[in-house]
Amino acid sequence: MNIQLTEKKEQIFFSTLKLINIHGFHGSPMSKIAKDADVAVGSIYHYFPSKEDLIIELYWYCKEKLNAHVFSSVDSTLPYETRFKQIWRHLVLYYLDHLDHFGFLEQFYGSPFYEGIRTNIIKQKSERNVLLHFLDEGVKSKHLKDLNVRLLISAYLGVAISLVRGCLYEKSQPTEYELDTMVDIIWNGVKK
């Protein structure tokens, strides 16, 4: 891929993240994003035909960054339970270290933008949804209860997101004990 193209798109993504976290989706028009990214409005439309396309691509960009960070340092030869717990911890710590991504994803999941892609993510088990595949692997290998993967994701991510929100509200970081306790609660609830 063209390095200049990648840098320009990332510049647009960074500005979009910043503005959406401050002003929300509706308060972040393409003109404001272009100005903040120091690019012409026409340049944004060259890369993204519409604001909806920009938002959806930004979603996948954030998910890919998250997945790369969360899954890259997990040894796939480790027992499933160990990986389950490591991935969850990496997820929480990633969100706390990347609040711009966390804030954007929180807004995205409650928006009409997500409604447009949600069905494909769950039904088609999008190749880009690494967590879905990991939990599905746990069900198939009989490490996890035979539940709908949507329920497993809700338990796994719901607790992580709630913990991150609590830390943000309290302006604190989770302790090792809290991380271990929370992931043990999840594991004990979904293990076979």
Side-chain angles (χ1 to χ4, degrees):
M1 178 178 260
N2 183 326
I3 291 173
Q4 187 176 8
L5 171 71
T6 302
E7 289 174 0
K8 182 123 359 194
K9 282 181 86 170
E10 282 198 336
Q11 191 175 342
I12 294 167
F13 286 152
F14 294 147
S15 292
T16 306
L17 278 172
K18 179 174 82 174
L19 292 171
I20 286 173
N21 280 310
I22 295 170
H23 304 290
F25 289 121
H26 298 296
S28 304
M30 295 292 256
S31 58
K32 193 181 270 190
I33 293 168
K35 184 175 181 182
D36 189 81
D38 197 27
V39 299
V41 175
S43 291
I44 291 183
Y45 286 108
H46 174 74
Y47 300 117
F48 310 102
S50 68
K51 184 175 176 182
E52 180 177 344
D53 291 316
L54 168 58
I55 300 299
I56 290 170
E57 277 201 51
L58 179 56
Y59 166 75
W60 287 117
Y61 171 82
C62 289
K63 290 286 288 187
E64 287 165 8
K65 292 289 186 186
L66 171 89
N67 288 336
H69 178 83
V70 168
F71 287 89
S72 66
S73 62
V74 176
D75 181 351
S76 63
T77 63
L78 291 173
Y80 188 85
E81 178 182 353
T82 303
R83 290 183 290 141
F84 181 96
K85 292 178 177 183
Q86 283 181 350
I87 290 166
W88 187 85
R89 289 173 65 95
H90 291 313
L91 180 69
V92 169
L93 297 174
Y94 180 86
Y95 279 146
L96 288 169
D97 288 341
H98 299 86
L99 294 177
D100 55 343
H101 289 203
F102 180 74
F104 169 77
L105 291 171
E106 284 279 87
Q107 289 186 64
F108 185 84
Y109 288 127
S111 76
F113 297 111
Y114 183 59
E115 288 302 313
I117 66 170
R118 182 178 62 152
T119 303
N120 289 339
I121 291 174
I122 299 298
K123 283 189 179 174
Q124 296 175 5
K125 296 187 178 174
S126 170
E127 291 177 13
R128 299 168 109 178
N129 197 329
V130 182
L131 180 59
L132 187 141
H133 290 287
F134 174 72
L135 295 174
D136 197 39
E137 171 197 334
V139 171
K140 287 178 179 169
S141 61
K142 306 213 182 299
H143 289 97
L144 300 178
K145 292 177 182 173
D146 188 13
L147 298 170
N148 182 313
V149 76
R150 188 182 79 241
L151 295 176
L152 293 171
I153 285 177
S154 295
Y156 201 73
L157 286 179
V159 174
I161 290 168
S162 181
L163 180 60
V164 171
R165 284 181 188 150
C167 289
L168 293 175
Y169 178 75
E170 295 172 0
K171 296 180 175 45
S172 66
Q173 291 289 316
T175 65
E176 290 297 315
Y177 173 77
E178 290 170 327
L179 291 170
D180 289 342
T181 301
M182 294 309 293
V183 76
D184 283 343
I185 290 170
I186 301 165
W187 175 253
N188 290 327
V190 299
K191 72 179 179 180
K192 187 133 184 159

